[in-house]
Amino acid sequence: MNIAFTEEQLMIIILSLLFVIAIIVIVIEWRKNAVSKNNVLLLEKKTELKKIELVEKDLENKRRKEDMSDLSEEDQERLRQIRINTAEIIGKVGLLNTEVTEKVEQLEAKSELLKLQKLSEQLSKKEEEIEKALKK
């Protein structure tokens, strides 16, 4: 079965292959462009949300300061002491949390060490048994 193409048919086939490849490349690039645009829009929205959060925090801090300025010196001092005590308690909680985490990790490591030592002993016994069996 001998298939022979004329020069004209070969030219049409080559041109159609090039056309298909060009379309595929264009579609891929178009898709990349669409994804990039979506990523840019997403980043813009995130930036806007961050700006809004910063403004809200700033307004909250300003409101707190204004509220404190309305209070008497004694009340302001009590609030400062409460904030200081809260910060100290949070620091202690953080320290205790870290200590607990470290102790848990230490116990896990000791437990693993104990398991490995027992396994090593068992392997040594098994090896001795095999050596004895081989000598017989």
Side-chain angles (χ1 to χ4, degrees):
M1 188 163 148
N2 215 354
I3 299 177
F5 292 108
T6 64
E7 286 183 28
E8 199 173 293
Q9 290 173 331
L10 284 175
M11 190 63 131
I12 292 173
I13 291 173
I14 291 172
L15 287 176
S16 59
L17 284 176
L18 289 175
F19 183 71
V20 168
I21 292 172
I23 288 176
I24 291 171
V25 169
I26 290 170
V27 168
I28 290 172
E29 290 301 316
W30 177 77
R31 176 74 178 133
K32 285 181 184 177
N33 190 12
V35 169
S36 296
K37 284 181 182 179
N38 288 339
N39 287 340
V40 168
L41 290 174
L42 181 63
L43 289 174
E44 287 176 357
K45 295 292 181 184
K46 284 183 179 181
T47 304
E48 284 296 317
L49 287 174
K50 288 288 184 186
K51 286 179 184 178
I52 291 169
E53 286 178 18
L54 288 173
V55 169
E56 287 176 350
K57 285 181 183 179
D58 189 40
L59 289 172
E60 180 67 22
N61 287 336
K62 187 176 181 181
R63 187 189 59 78
R64 283 185 188 169
K65 286 179 183 178
E66 288 175 358
D67 288 348
M68 282 193 66
S69 64
D70 294 341
L71 299 174
S72 67
E73 289 293 322
E74 184 179 305
D75 291 339
Q76 288 179 10
E77 186 59 33
R78 279 198 319 228
L79 280 176
R80 281 190 206 103
Q81 287 301 319
I82 291 171
R83 286 184 181 144
I84 290 170
N85 290 340
T86 303
E88 289 173 0
I89 291 170
I90 290 172
K92 288 179 184 178
V93 167
L95 175 65
L96 289 173
N97 189 20
T98 303
E99 285 179 8
V100 166
T101 303
E102 292 296 325
K103 286 182 180 181
V104 166
E105 287 177 7
Q106 185 181 36
L107 285 173
E108 287 174 350
K110 285 181 179 179
S111 175
E112 188 68 23
L113 177 63
L114 184 62
K115 287 178 187 176
L116 290 174
Q117 286 174 341
K118 286 181 181 179
L119 182 60
S120 178
E121 290 174 10
Q122 290 173 353
L123 290 174
S124 295
K125 288 179 184 177
K126 192 69 170 176
E127 185 179 23
E128 288 175 11
E129 290 175 11
I130 291 174
E131 288 295 324
K132 287 180 184 177
L134 286 175
K135 288 182 182 178
K136 290 183 182 180

